[in-house]
Every structure is written in structure tokens, then in C-alpha cells.
Amino acid sequence: MLRKTIILLLFFAIMACGPGKKRRTYSKTRTVTVEGSNTDTSPKPKSKKEGRKNAKANRIISTALTYSGTRYKYGGTTKKGMDCSGLVYVSLKENDIMFPRTSYQMALEGEKIQIARVEKGDLLFFKTSKTGKRINHVGLVVDVKGNDIKFIHATTSRGVLVSSLREGYWNSAFVKAMRIL
């Protein structure tokens, strides 16, 4: 009975956030730079509310990027180890936004948006388990250039990193985008 319990716990830990590849690269320090997503150079008048929202999104993204290269740890919320929802939770909390701790609970918050309307600071939700019926992975949008959406998240195989929604695995696992700011 104990052996079955341990095997079951290991299975859930492996399947919690992202694919379970064997390659481990999170011990290397990564430097990530994210360019602005506005490709139109003509000046556009922005409301004060929009400016505050963009500034808040940029602060949250900057916080999340400080965890780049952090190894994956189920339930982790520190530089010693981080899981996907822990990364989003800590990035929001450090910027005075209280939010649920787990990805499937996070997916219930905010306004659902179409992928074409995604902006920096929005959340992307995924189902990475073939047998699971609920959302089990979350990423924070850090950049949008046309159809290329970059998001930061924590994977079991590579830790905290920036990926593209264009990548086949993430594109097929994608469920929905939510606006929280």
C-alpha cells in the first residue's frame, strides 16, 4: 500500500506542470531579455488607466523574469525551486495582487479573452496531462509580436523559462487566456 502511494505521488509530481523530458538544463544561469511588443512606431494616445496597467504588467513580468533558470519543485515558491502556479502567484503577490495558489483555481479568475487579444501580463492556461480533465499549467505572457506569444512558466524538465505559444507542445495543450489586470 505504501509503495502504491509513493508511486502515485511521484506520478502526480511529474505530471503537475509541463512535459516530463529527461534533459535538465536549469542549473545553468539564464539571462532573458524581452523587447516591447508594440511594432507600430506611430505614437498613440494612451489613457492614464492604460499606462498604469502596462506599468503594472511590466513590473509583474520583471518579477517573474528574476526567477528564470530556477529549478522546478512541486509546490515551490522560492529561488530554490518553483512550480508554474508558484511563479505566477509569487510574481503577482510581490506586486500587491492576491491570487489563488493553484493553476486550476487561477483559471477561474479574471476575464476570458480570445488569443488574438492577448497582451503582456495576461495568463495562459494549459492541460498537459493526457488523462487529466482540468487545467494543470499556467504561464504569464511576457511579449506579443503578431502571432508569436512568449510566456514565462516553470516546467518539470527545464525549470523556469520563456517559451512560445507557437511551439507544438504548448500550442496543442493550450486551453484559454485570461486577463487579470
Side-chain angles (χ1 to χ4, degrees):
M1 181 65 182
L2 180 62
R3 185 176 180 187
K4 286 182 182 179
T5 304
I6 292 171
I7 290 172
L8 190 59
L9 287 172
L10 284 172
F11 173 78
F12 285 126
I14 291 170
M15 298 306 293
C17 284
K21 295 180 185 174
K22 297 289 183 200
R23 196 174 90 188
R24 305 268 185 220
T25 59
Y26 51 70
S27 62
K28 297 176 185 173
T29 303
R30 292 188 185 106
T31 303
V32 179
T33 56
V34 179
E35 296 177 18
S37 62
N38 189 359
T39 56
D40 185 10
T41 57
S42 62
K44 294 180 184 175
K46 290 188 178 182
S47 68
K48 286 185 179 181
K49 186 177 179 182
E50 268 187 71
R52 285 191 303 266
K53 178 185 154 195
N54 289 340
K56 187 81 145 174
N58 286 333
R59 285 192 303 273
I60 293 166
I61 291 165
S62 292
T63 301
L65 289 171
T66 65
Y67 292 95
S68 290
T70 300
R71 73 179 186 88
Y72 178 85
K73 181 180 181 195
Y74 181 76
T77 57
T78 68
K79 292 246 185 194
K80 289 185 177 184
M82 184 75 68
D83 70 8
C84 63
S85 56
L87 174 66
V88 172
Y89 174 79
V90 168
S91 298
L92 293 171
K93 185 178 178 186
E94 286 185 17
N95 287 279
D96 303 317
I97 298 174
M98 295 313 296
F99 218 64
R101 170 61 183 86
T102 60
S103 56
Y104 71 92
Q105 289 173 326
M106 288 177 180
L108 302 173
E109 301 290 326
E111 169 195 355
K112 186 174 181 179
I113 55 172
Q114 294 178 352
I115 197 70
R117 290 187 51 224
V118 167
E119 298 173 358
K120 290 166 69 171
D122 292 337
L123 299 180
L124 304 178
F125 293 95
F126 305 86
K127 287 183 188 173
T128 61
S129 170
K130 290 180 176 135
T131 57
K133 295 186 178 172
R134 71 178 183 190
I135 286 169
N136 66 341
H137 191 73
V138 62
L140 172 68
V141 175
V142 297
D143 194 27
V144 180
K145 286 187 182 170
N147 292 334
D148 191 17
I149 299 169
K150 304 270 190 207
F151 62 100
I152 189 165
H153 60 133
T155 66
T156 55
S157 61
R158 297 173 63 197
V160 177
L161 75 159
V162 175
S163 297
S164 172
L165 195 55
R166 282 181 155 179
E167 294 172 31
Y169 179 83
W170 296 114
N171 195 304
S172 65
F174 176 76
V175 176
K176 67 179 179 175
M178 298 293 282
R179 177 150 302 146
I180 60 167
L181 299 177

